[in-house]
Amino acid sequence: EPEVTQTPSHQVTQMGQEVILRCVPISNHLYFYWYRQILGQKVEFLVSFYNNEISEKSEIFDDQFSVERPDGSNFTLKIRSTKLEDSAMYFCASSSTRGRSEKLFFGSGTQLSVL
Amino acid sequence: GNSVTQMEGPVTLSEEAFLTINCTYTATGYPSLFWYVQYPGEGLQLLLKATKADDKGSNKGFEATYRKETTSFHLEKGSVQVSDSAVYFCALSDLGGNEKLTFGTGTRLTIIP
């Protein structure tokens, strides 16, 4: 079965540093998402992306966050100046269409630790 | 706003035991409801879903029924196996699809032989 690939699996960074989390969605998918889960809390929606622009974002997704699809295969999440509270598991997801019958495919996540 | 409340974990059961993981939700309109599973080292995978009231989603021996009157979508399995050990997430979408899922906190299930 096709899969969404995320790298690295674990990223450690210093507070204030920029970090880029990388995702390779399934090749024919058009809709891309980032979610995150802070330890012990709920998985939260961050942003959705379609046709090279953000289609929806949550309150968490402030000016410190950005997403990009720099080429035909990668989908990245950048945090410009990391804070301690950005420590979380970040999940990338993709789908080929929107609608009730479509499955969302998730990657295995990147565990970000901000020290 | 939307929210999902899930049974606190971790849950530990013996093989062949009956499993119930409770999930209740708050949403406007008519959400779609989902159970996702995350096996160790893997991504979240859709386990089953239901898109309208009284629908029953089922997969791999797991079942959940969309109960609008009790706003619940409890996950059940009659006889669990060691391979069912994973984290289970209840989720909803109120946009008619998979956009902007609202998740619960997840329930870690461990099955012992």
Side-chain angles (χ1 to χ4, degrees):
Chain A
E1 186 167 278
E3 59 180 28
V4 175
T5 305
Q6 287 187 246
T7 56
S9 57
H10 196 175
Q11 173 101 36
V12 180
T13 190
Q14 296 290 325
M15 190 170 57
Q17 295 296 305
E18 175 183 284
V19 68
I20 297 175
L21 308 182
R22 302 182 190 279
C23 170
V24 179
I26 294 170
S27 61
N28 63 343
H29 283 188
L30 302 174
Y31 298 84
F32 312 108
Y33 312 85
W34 285 100
Y35 286 77
R36 78 173 186 188
Q37 185 180 27
I38 295 171
L39 187 64
Q41 298 184 26
K42 300 185 177 187
V43 176
E44 303 168 292
F45 169 81
L46 292 179
V47 66
S48 59
F49 189 86
Y50 169 70
N51 200 27
N52 281 321
E53 60 184 29
I54 290 172
S55 46
E56 189 169 3
K57 60 183 181 179
S58 71
E59 292 175 355
I60 303 166
F61 196 88
D62 61 22
D63 292 345
Q64 291 300 311
F65 291 87
S66 61
V67 289
E68 192 178 34
R69 189 156 161 80
D71 51 41
S73 59
N74 290 286
F75 179 53
T76 61
L77 174 69
K78 182 194 289 186
I79 309 174
R80 287 190 184 80
S81 178
T82 50
K83 303 190 273 287
L84 295 176
E85 55 264 37
D86 293 327
S87 295
M89 177 72 84
Y90 288 80
F91 293 103
C92 173
S94 70
S95 67
S96 59
T97 61
R98 296 170 64 178
R100 286 181 178 266
S101 61
E102 182 58 33
K103 288 198 301 185
L104 201 60
F105 288 81
F106 282 86
S108 56
T110 293
Q111 180 66 54
L112 177 65
S113 300
V114 182
L115 306 178
Chain B
N2 296 336
S3 69
V4 173
T5 301
Q6 215 178 308
M7 179 176 174
E8 292 285 331
V11 174
T12 302
L13 293 173
S14 297
E15 205 166 19
E16 299 182 5
F18 184 86
L19 169 71
T20 300
I21 300 178
N22 289 338
C23 173
T24 57
Y25 67 90
T26 303
T28 55
Y30 302 95
S32 296
L33 301 174
F34 307 84
W35 276 100
Y36 280 83
V37 59
Q38 185 178 27
Y39 299 104
E42 299 184 18
L44 293 165
Q45 303 173 25
L46 179 66
L47 179 60
L48 53 85
K49 67 178 182 182
T51 58
K52 61 183 189 298
D54 299 325
D55 266 3
K56 179 186 282 188
S58 61
N59 186 25
K60 299 182 182 181
F62 290 90
E63 293 183 339
T65 302
Y66 189 144
R67 301 283 188 204
K68 192 166 171 61
E69 63 275 14
T70 54
T71 62
S72 65
F73 193 56
H74 304 323
L75 183 68
E76 296 182 335
K77 186 174 184 181
S79 177
V80 292
Q81 306 300 314
V82 172
S83 57
D84 294 327
S85 297
V87 182
Y88 292 82
F89 294 87
C90 186
L92 69 82
S93 167
D94 68 354
L95 294 175
N98 292 302
E99 282 278 326
K100 196 180 174 182
L101 287 165
T102 299
F103 283 90
T105 52
T107 301
R108 182 174 298 278
L109 173 67
T110 301
I111 307 301
I112 53 178

